[in-house]
Amino acid sequence: SQKIEQNSEALNIQEGKTATLTCNYTNYSPAYLQWYRQDPGRGPVFLLLIRENEKEKRKERLKVTFDTTLKQSLFHITASQPADSATYLCALAPDTGRRALTFGSGTRLQVQP
Amino acid sequence: GAGVSQTPSNKVTEKGKYVELRCDPISGHTALYWYRQSLGQGPEFLIYFQGTGAADDSGLPNDRFFAVRPEGSVSTLKIQRTERGDSAVYLCASSLSGTGGEQYFGPGTRLTVT
């Protein structure tokens, strides 16, 4: 069956370090992959989208990689700040006509000052 | 500009009752999605509208769930004969064209069935 896995354990890092979050998937051939940020009590907020033919995408302190051979995406936040503390969700858009996203369960990031 | 809005923000209902949840998408967005999110989980797809029609309702769990979008803007998710297992946060999202790009989410409606 199709599966998206994100580390369910919270990731705790010190301010200024790089946070790296992992998204693994099985039995998918996604057209693209998206990352969202979700704060408690709020809806997810879009961060980055990367297509299957792209290896890497950057936006300010954020970087996403997409390896369709390994079926994995890595999400990096450089020079992390306490304000980056949130849950980060990986979402896949399949290559079929289906437009809805399939989400992982998210990884909670805690940046300590 | 205004983002996606959802009402009510919280809804408590008794088991067996009928509820309606409303979503007002970003103006001009033709695609609208409903998701359901349980504690500690990611959003789970329910239904997708392109314009007025439901283009994909494969995520609706059973026939107690129904959604409409009669004029291609506001959408209502309707749940009949609510069950305790329906308790969750119901999220609505919209996107410009539904070609799979970024989605803009509302704050959600927290539904509690007692």
Side-chain angles (χ1 to χ4, degrees):
Chain A
S1 63
Q2 295 175 327
K3 210 172 180 182
I4 301 173
E5 288 185 344
Q6 293 185 256
N7 195 341
S8 58
E9 288 184 19
L11 177 63
N12 289 287
I13 63 168
Q14 284 297 119
E15 182 176 7
K17 301 290 187 185
T18 295
T20 299
L21 287 71
T22 304
C23 174
N24 294 297
Y25 60 91
T26 55
N27 297 324
Y28 272 109
S29 295
Y32 41 80
L33 186 147
Q34 302 184 24
W35 283 88
Y36 287 77
R37 169 186 172 138
Q38 187 172 27
D39 291 284
R42 296 181 175 268
V45 174
F46 172 79
L47 296 174
L48 278 169
L49 177 154
I50 186 165
R51 300 184 189 283
E52 61 178 337
N53 60 351
E54 297 175 315
K55 296 292 184 192
E56 182 179 298
K57 202 78 162 291
R58 290 175 186 261
K59 179 182 173 184
E60 298 172 350
R61 295 185 296 111
L62 309 180
K63 184 178 89 170
V64 172
T65 63
F66 194 12
D67 188 326
T68 55
T69 302
L70 288 179
K71 296 188 183 296
Q72 181 182 79
S73 174
L74 298 178
F75 176 78
H76 307 271
I77 305 175
T78 57
S80 59
Q81 305 165 0
D84 295 327
S85 299
T87 294
Y88 291 86
L89 298 159
C90 160
L92 298 182
D95 60 357
T96 66
R98 191 164 185 252
R99 304 303 183 191
L101 295 173
T102 302
F103 283 86
S105 57
T107 297
R108 192 164 67 87
L109 172 67
Q110 189 71 36
V111 181
Q112 307 290 347
Chain B
V4 177
S5 62
Q6 292 186 246
T7 55
S9 55
N10 278 286
K11 176 72 178 178
V12 180
T13 191
E14 291 179 350
K15 178 175 178 294
K17 299 289 188 184
Y18 168 82
V19 296
E20 289 189 353
L21 312 179
R22 177 187 165 109
C23 172
D24 207 333
I26 293 172
S27 177
H29 280 194
T30 60
L32 185 146
Y33 310 79
W34 284 98
Y35 294 85
R36 176 167 72 173
Q37 187 172 28
S38 300
L39 195 62
Q41 300 298 313
E44 175 191 20
F45 168 71
L46 296 176
I47 186 169
Y48 153 60
F49 287 89
Q50 183 60 255
T52 60
D56 182 354
D57 64 359
S58 62
L60 294 178
N62 52 60
D63 61 7
R64 295 187 298 105
F65 289 74
F66 188 71
V68 294
R69 195 185 184 199
E71 296 177 358
S73 56
V74 170
S75 174
T76 304
L77 178 66
K78 308 180 182 199
I79 310 174
Q80 298 177 318
R81 304 182 305 280
T82 52
E83 299 177 358
R84 293 197 180 89
D86 299 335
S87 296
V89 175
Y90 288 80
L91 293 164
C92 174
S94 68
S95 67
L96 197 53
S97 62
T99 55
E102 60 193 90
Q103 296 182 15
Y104 296 84
F105 282 81
T109 293
R110 180 175 297 279
L111 175 66
T112 304
V113 182
T114 62

